[in-house]
């Protein structure tokens, strides 16, 4: 009876689930790399196909497979990473503690007060 649910703790501390934040950062990084020049090494590596034999059993999950799954969950296509407004709205699932409008106003007041 003395147990407190994780949702309650996250709500009071204004912290989100780590998995949601990880998905958000993964999609942000993917969008960042995709908007870079075609000759950028990160983009070339991401589009590269590795030759070789296939191991027995279940295939290992690759980073790009997870990105595609996250894009599908957000109902985005790979081309949507180039549309800034749509990408930002869909990718941003959380606000870290202290990033809201009230917090920005408090930061301005405290900075001005100490100068």
């Amino acid at each position: 009876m003395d147990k407190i649910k994780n949702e309650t703790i996250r709500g009071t501390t204004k912290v989100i689930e780590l998995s949601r934040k990880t998905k958000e950062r993964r999609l942000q990084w993917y969008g960042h790399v995709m908007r870079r020049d075609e000759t950028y090494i990160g983009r070339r590596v991401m589009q590269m196909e590795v030759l070789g034999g296939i191991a027995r059993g279940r295939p290992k999950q690759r980073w790009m497979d997870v990105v595609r799954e996250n894009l599908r969950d957000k109902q985005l296509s790979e081309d949507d990473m180039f549309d800034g407004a749509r990408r930002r709205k869909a990718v941003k699932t959380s606000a870290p503690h202290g990033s809201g409008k009230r917090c920005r106003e408090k930061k301005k007041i405290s900075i001005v007060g100490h100068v």
Side-chain angles (χ1 to χ4, degrees):
M1 298 304 284
D2 293 340
K3 294 180 181 180
I4 302 172
K5 293 186 177 187
N6 288 338
E7 293 82 24
T8 307
I9 294 171
R10 273 192 228 102
T12 57
T13 58
K14 297 183 179 123
V15 176
I16 65 157
E17 297 174 40
L18 183 60
S19 61
R20 287 178 57 193
K21 192 65 176 175
T22 305
K23 286 179 186 179
E24 176 185 319
R25 296 297 295 160
R26 186 182 299 124
L27 289 176
Q28 285 175 346
W29 177 252
Y30 173 71
H32 169 73
V33 171
M34 290 306 292
R35 288 188 309 278
R36 294 286 304 255
D37 192 273
E38 291 280 338
T39 60
Y40 176 61
I41 188 73
R43 187 166 178 181
R44 289 177 32 208
V45 168
M46 201 173 355
Q47 296 170 346
M48 181 172 73
E49 291 292 328
V50 179
L51 301 175
I54 299 173
R56 291 180 54 184
R58 182 179 180 164
K60 295 191 184 301
Q61 194 169 31
R62 298 172 299 184
W63 187 81
M64 198 60 210
D65 297 335
V66 177
V67 168
R68 285 189 186 108
E69 182 181 319
N70 293 154
L71 287 171
R72 199 171 28 253
D73 291 345
K74 297 282 187 180
Q75 298 174 348
L76 294 169
S77 69
E78 292 182 22
D79 295 331
D80 288 334
M81 290 292 110
F82 297 102
D83 180 13
R86 178 163 166 68
R87 181 191 70 250
R88 279 188 296 276
K89 185 176 181 183
V91 168
K92 191 73 172 172
T93 58
S94 63
H97 182 63
S99 66
K101 182 179 178 183
R102 281 184 49 210
C103 292
R104 281 194 300 270
E105 289 171 0
K106 286 181 185 178
K107 287 178 188 174
K108 287 180 187 176
I109 291 169
S110 65
I111 292 170
V112 172
H114 292 331
V115 172

